[in-house]
Amino acid sequence: MGMGRHTIFVVFALTLVWCILMEGVSWQNVAVGLFMSMLSLHFVGKFFHFDEIKDVEFSKLIGYPFWLLARIYVDAFLLMKLILSDAKWEIVEEELEVENEALRIILADSITLTPGSVYVERHGNKITLLCIGNRKKKGYPASVDDLRSIERMLIKSQKKPEEDSAKEA
């Protein structure tokens, strides 16, 4: 296994997470974190072959967790206001534009984290959600807007087929 930029980034990111979980930054924590990160990457590379994530550029998703966290808090306040007013609920089916299976899974988990909609099931490019909305509005525009904004963020990291063929040439 070569030490490319991606591997170095992952090792440092895992080491950072290790230091956060250990609640302190010392040379011992950093050393153990680096060792555990490299060991983890070795075993993942040896025993797991994730073909479904080869078409995802995870470097383009660096800001996604922070964006999602902000979105969760904003939607929580809007949902509290909605619950105290005249709310309705329904199961809604929407078509997904994101093509990568790994990104579809991240989308399903993310939409459940954002208040106002819950992932029920997914078949192919169709996702079923349990949505809450305002009785005064037709449909569930807030839930659909959340779905589409999450989808736009994830589509940015989806490699296009011509990118793969250009790298192989």
Side-chain angles (χ1 to χ4, degrees):
M1 180 171 91
M3 261 315 243
R5 285 192 312 194
H6 178 289
T7 306
I8 292 170
F9 170 76
V10 171
V11 166
F12 284 130
L14 289 173
T15 302
L16 176 67
V17 169
W18 177 268
C19 288
I20 290 169
L21 291 174
M22 296 305 294
E23 297 179 353
V25 178
S26 67
W27 71 269
Q28 293 98 338
N29 276 347
V30 171
V32 171
L34 285 170
F35 174 73
M36 294 304 291
S37 299
M38 289 187 286
L39 188 67
S40 298
L41 283 180
H42 171 72
F43 283 117
V44 166
K46 185 172 177 101
F47 296 113
F48 298 105
H49 303 287
F50 296 112
D51 291 333
E52 58 270 353
I53 64 170
K54 70 178 170 95
D55 296 330
V56 178
E57 289 185 60
F58 284 99
S59 61
K60 292 185 178 179
L61 289 176
I62 290 173
Y64 179 73
F66 304 107
W67 175 85
L68 183 63
L69 189 63
R71 183 96 196 188
I72 289 168
Y73 279 103
V74 169
D75 286 350
F77 288 116
L78 295 174
L79 185 63
M80 285 189 296
K81 178 183 171 192
L82 179 65
I83 289 172
L84 297 174
S85 67
D86 199 16
K88 65 179 178 175
W89 65 272
E90 187 175 333
I91 293 182
V92 176
E93 186 174 271
E94 289 288 325
E95 278 203 40
L96 298 176
E97 296 173 20
V98 66
E99 297 169 5
N100 184 280
E101 184 65 20
L103 293 176
R104 286 180 179 174
I105 292 168
I106 292 171
L107 173 71
D109 292 338
S110 297
I111 197 68
T112 297
L113 286 173
T114 57
S117 53
V118 177
Y119 164 72
V120 176
E121 68 178 351
R122 190 179 51 81
H123 294 289
N125 68 337
K126 294 194 183 284
I127 188 168
T128 305
L129 303 171
L130 173 63
C131 301
I132 189 169
N134 191 332
R135 285 195 190 274
K136 297 173 186 165
K137 294 183 181 176
K138 183 181 179 198
Y140 297 86
S143 296
V144 174
D145 288 346
D146 280 351
L147 177 71
R148 296 300 168 216
S149 63
I150 292 171
E151 196 172 40
R152 280 191 302 274
M153 289 293 289
L154 294 174
I155 285 176
K156 292 177 185 178
S157 69
Q158 187 170 271
K159 289 183 188 173
K160 298 181 182 37
E162 59 270 4
E163 289 179 23
D164 292 334
S165 59
K167 287 182 180 178
E168 291 173 3

